[in-house]
Amino acid sequence: IVEAALEQGVAIHHGCGNGSCGDYKGRILSGEGVQLPFMPLLLTPEERAHKQAILCKLQPRSAMRIEARVDGATELWTGTVISLQRL
Ligand code: FES
């Protein structure tokens, strides 16, 4: 999610990019994604239950709507994944 956003010029907030800092978590509003491995303590069971995700380690599996902080923005943006491309 973070990589795709950055490629599209959206300065989605992130830190390490490898799942170890937990600098920013986003929230899945709709759709399906796979959460790739990250430091386990970064997401509490309550956060998981509320659909929070480590966005740098989230791979979409369908069209998704997410909530994320964007650097330089004064409000939350929502975005929609409209296509998937296998790298
Ligand atoms: S940017 Fe560090 S865990 Fe995602």
Side-chain angles (χ1 to χ4, degrees):
I1 294 290
V2 170
E3 193 173 308
L6 294 175
E7 284 179 8
Q8 296 302 312
V10 177
I12 192 167
H13 185 76
H14 68 289
C16 66
N18 65 19
S20 61
C21 74
D23 190 35
Y24 191 70
K25 303 165 188 172
R27 192 162 66 94
I28 300 170
L29 302 176
S30 65
E32 299 295 324
V34 173
Q35 187 71 84
L36 300 178
F38 60 91
M39 295 289 283
L41 296 177
L42 295 181
L43 276 183
T44 67
E46 290 149 344
E47 289 173 324
R48 291 173 195 259
H50 287 98
K51 298 268 194 180
Q52 288 207 323
I54 302 296
L55 296 180
C56 66
K57 302 299 276 183
L58 181 64
Q59 283 189 346
R61 291 294 187 257
S62 71
M64 295 185 78
R65 290 182 64 234
I66 61 165
E67 183 178 85
R69 196 171 92 204
V70 175
D71 289 336
T74 56
E75 58 190 73
L76 289 178
W77 289 22
T78 57
T80 303
V81 176
I82 57 172
S83 68
L84 301 174
Q85 178 182 9
R86 186 172 297 278
L87 299 178

